Amino acid sequence: MAHMSHGAHGRPPTRGQRWSTFRQSPFWPATVLVLILAASAGLFAGSYTYSMADPTPHSIPTAVVGSYEEARGQAFLDGMEKALNASVRVRPYGSEADAREAMQDQEVFALFELRDDGRTAVLDLSSASGASVAQVLSDTAPVVGQKTGVEVTVRDINPLQEGDPRGLAIFYISLAAVIIGFVGAIQLSVHARSLTPFERILFTAAYALLGGFAIAATVDWLLDALDLPFVESWLILALTMFASGMVFTMFNTLFGRWAMLPTWGLMVLLGNPSSGGAVSWPLLPSPLGAIGQWLPPGASVNAQHTAVYFQDHQHAFPFLVLGGWALLSCAVFWIWRHRHPGGREKRPAHAADS
């Protein structure tokens, strides 16, 4: 009987047949996910380490007024340039008031006022503009002053709030809005798969509004870590969550079940390290500092940071970035909504009545 069983169906499977069987089995997507997750782990650690582990000044805009053209004042500024590897970009201003206004507009990170023909210098810092930049300047200026014979006084004219001494709370709340924003969209795609495109957008907006409120209330009212301009901060967080959720929905429309890959890459691997929240933009590797401002995490940090610390100097740019991503994502989703894996068929009236 064993001898008779050898036939076309009894032959050992060929390599091509084994590969085809493997591709059709649940082991194929599981294997792909194992490889993707391993690569993502390395990229995640690498992107954050590259951006944040050793922040180095690249370009710090700094205002200067007073006797900066005198020999000793010039020697002090040259010493700062040398100590920070030519990363200080000096911008002369005609008056201290103009320079202070530039600091409030976040056009410069510090103000050097050189007095007494350059023999003394007052360094006005703005920790609220960037705690890491302020730390670098406050550590370097007195050392350079000793070497060049300039007496340096350091003042912090825009300190951080007491509940956020390291200036990281804004990064954390923005990170929460970004992560929960696209995780919420993932959950809608899994547990509310039959939502129509319009309903999906509405429910994304709903959890964004409620989630933004919850983040702001927890950080301000419950923990008292930040004194927020509540309505503005809430709406920034809500817009961040909505934009993040719609970005995943857009990628889900374009790439189906692999949508998490571009979402994670854009928002987490690239967007969060370059946001300027944990490390200020002038200390990030220069390409990241430029890119980060155009991505939702960076725009969220930028808008929130200005709302909290520079309330009368808010800029339209971060809101345009967040709104642009939200609008682009909604448009792509709506135009190609037939490709989205969710939705439901509308039943005829007589079928619904039966």
Side-chain angles (χ1 to χ4, degrees):
M1 294 295 292
H3 176 73
M4 294 179 64
S5 66
H6 288 291
H9 299 288
R11 295 174 184 171
T14 64
R15 180 177 298 178
Q17 289 172 330
R18 287 196 298 269
W19 175 248
S20 178
T21 301
F22 176 65
R23 286 289 301 269
Q24 295 172 11
S25 74
F27 300 115
W28 166 248
T31 302
V32 171
L33 282 173
V34 166
L35 297 175
I36 289 174
L37 291 171
S40 297
L43 287 171
F44 183 79
S47 65
Y48 279 70
T49 302
Y50 174 68
S51 304
M52 302 178 184
D54 185 22
T56 304
H58 290 275
S59 179
I60 304 176
T62 306
V64 62
V65 297
S67 307
Y68 57 88
E69 292 181 331
E70 300 293 334
R72 190 170 294 184
Q74 194 62 52
F76 174 74
L77 294 177
D78 290 344
M80 289 293 298
E81 288 264 349
K82 185 177 179 180
L84 296 176
N85 297 318
S87 60
V88 174
R89 286 195 289 117
V90 174
R91 297 181 182 178
Y93 285 84
S95 69
E96 184 180 348
D98 291 341
R100 290 284 184 94
E101 186 69 16
M103 287 184 72
Q104 294 303 109
D105 283 333
Q106 300 177 77
E107 295 174 359
V108 295
F109 281 78
L111 164 61
F112 284 108
E113 182 184 359
L114 293 160
R115 304 171 178 172
D116 303 326
D117 295 328
R119 287 191 293 272
T120 62
V122 177
L123 170 59
D124 285 339
L125 296 171
S126 176
S127 292
S129 300
S132 47
V133 172
Q135 185 67 47
V136 167
L137 291 174
S138 65
D139 290 344
T140 306
V143 175
V144 173
Q146 286 184 347
K147 292 181 179 179
T148 56
V150 177
E151 183 181 346
V152 179
T153 302
V154 180
R155 303 184 303 194
D156 191 347
I157 63 172
N158 283 329
L160 292 162
Q161 295 184 14
E162 290 184 9
D164 184 29
R166 298 180 63 192
L168 293 175
I170 288 175
F171 173 65
Y172 294 146
I173 65 175
S174 301
L175 177 64
V178 168
I179 299 294
I180 301 302
F182 68 73
V183 167
I186 293 171
Q187 294 304 304
L188 282 183
S189 70
V190 173
H191 300 291
R193 189 179 182 87
S194 61
L195 290 175
T196 66
F198 182 67
E199 292 166 349
R200 191 171 298 277
I201 292 173
L202 282 182
F203 274 90
T204 303
Y207 76 67
L209 281 169
L210 194 57
F213 181 87
I215 294 172
T218 299
V219 171
D220 190 345
W221 300 344
L222 183 62
L223 299 178
D224 198 25
L226 282 174
D227 182 14
L228 299 174
F230 194 85
V231 174
E232 184 178 1
S233 290
W234 169 23
L235 294 179
I236 291 169
L237 291 166
L239 181 55
T240 302
M241 289 187 73
F242 179 74
S244 183
M246 289 312 303
V247 163
F248 173 82
T249 305
M250 172 182 69
F251 286 136
N252 200 19
T253 303
L254 297 176
F255 303 112
R257 64 180 178 177
W258 300 109
M260 186 58 184
L261 293 179
T263 304
W264 184 262
L266 183 72
M267 295 295 196
V268 178
L269 294 184
L270 183 60
N272 282 327
S274 65
S275 67
V279 175
S280 301
W281 281 319
L283 302 188
L284 290 172
S286 50
L288 288 181
I291 294 170
Q293 302 175 59
W294 292 90
L295 298 177
S300 181
V301 167
N302 193 351
Q304 196 71 253
H305 178 257
T306 306
V308 173
Y309 288 110
F310 305 92
Q311 294 182 15
D312 297 327
H313 298 263
Q314 185 60 272
H315 304 290
F317 177 72
F319 294 93
L320 293 175
V321 171
L322 287 172
W325 278 101
L327 185 60
L328 172 67
S329 301
C330 287
V332 170
F333 168 53
W334 190 262
I335 292 170
W336 285 284
R337 58 190 180 277
H338 60 279
R339 295 183 52 178
H340 191 274
R344 63 181 181 270
E345 295 293 334
K346 291 185 177 180
R347 295 182 297 169
H350 64 82
D353 294 337
S354 59

